[in-house]
Amino acid sequence: AVPSEEPVLFLKSSSSVTQLSSGQALAAVQQGSPLAAETIHYEAELVLLVGRHVARGALGRDDALGCLRALGLGLDLTRREKQAQLKKAGLPWSVSKAFDGSAVLTPFVPATPLAAADLADISFELAINGEVKQTGCVSHMLFDLPTQLRFINQLVPLLPGDLIFTGTPEGVGPIHRGDQVRMRFLSPASLAHMQVSAEV
């Protein structure tokens, strides 16, 4: 990724959200759908669940992580060819990101027991059909978690239930119906028990 002065934001509709275990992750591209012939890419990410209301601009750097209720892992599914077309035309690319089943989530784990050092030590992994495709580390992010939260909060209030996908590591690629997906935390040790496997 190319560093920039501020994070790049986009939005997904609430109707895009689905559980990895539901089998509905690629519902929009099932046979007969207008999207059936499109290339869909996976992007594995750490996902933050906001637990309390924070008025716009009220989040300080030292207490930024205090607004979190829980965290999990997610797949930001993307209509890659559509995104490329829209980018080339200089148009917004929301329709390449927001479609039925495009925000795929694992179960969440409470953030409260985790110290700031634990959050900074988070790493995770995505495997498809038994092959590791992506490994991500919070310490390698272009913008750390407090910076991302504060950037968003400078624009809008944070609300309970908001989901924040925090960016994907290298290794994105195509995903297909019937693929076996495994997502898990690698560290810290307090999260390493969390692993979800499912067919999409």
Side-chain angles (χ1 to χ4, degrees):
V2 178
S4 61
E5 294 182 358
E6 60 184 36
V8 175
L9 296 182
F10 60 86
L11 302 177
K12 286 182 181 277
S13 61
S14 58
S15 57
S16 299
V17 174
T18 190
Q19 291 291 320
L20 176 58
S21 59
S22 71
Q24 297 301 307
L26 291 172
V29 296
Q30 61 190 351
Q31 189 173 3
S33 162
L35 277 59
E38 294 195 27
T39 300
I40 305 297
H41 277 196
Y42 59 80
E43 299 182 16
E45 308 191 22
L46 173 68
V47 182
L48 310 178
L49 174 61
V50 175
R52 64 179 176 86
H53 177 267
V54 182
R56 183 179 61 81
L59 202 62
R61 179 168 183 83
D62 292 340
D63 64 350
L65 298 176
C67 70
L68 299 181
R69 176 182 176 185
L71 50 96
L73 298 175
L75 291 178
D76 163 21
L77 299 184
T78 304
R79 300 167 63 193
R80 189 65 75 204
E81 293 158 351
K82 173 61 71 174
Q83 183 187 43
Q85 292 170 2
L86 294 167
K87 282 184 172 182
K88 185 176 181 180
L91 297 171
W93 30 279
S94 295
V95 295
S96 71
K97 290 287 190 177
F99 53 91
D100 188 14
S102 68
V104 185
L105 298 173
T106 67
F108 284 85
V109 294
T112 308
L114 298 174
D118 290 329
L119 290 170
D121 185 45
I122 289 174
S123 62
F124 59 91
E125 177 185 272
L126 167 70
I128 297 181
N129 299 325
E131 180 181 352
V132 174
K133 296 292 189 179
Q134 291 186 281
T135 301
C137 304
V138 167
S139 60
H140 295 168
M141 289 181 173
L142 295 177
F143 301 96
D144 63 22
L145 300 181
T147 297
Q148 293 189 45
L149 288 164
R150 291 185 66 228
F151 177 76
I152 296 169
N153 184 235
Q154 289 169 7
L155 302 173
V156 294
L158 296 176
L159 302 176
D162 281 350
L163 296 169
I164 300 171
F165 283 64
T166 57
T168 194
E170 65 180 0
V172 301
I175 189 170
H176 308 94
R177 286 191 67 81
D179 282 346
Q180 187 71 28
V181 173
R182 184 189 73 223
M183 302 191 77
R184 63 173 179 158
F185 285 105
L186 301 176
S187 64
S190 58
L191 295 178
H193 66 283
M194 210 285 276
Q195 173 175 303
V196 180
S197 297
E199 181 179 296
V200 296

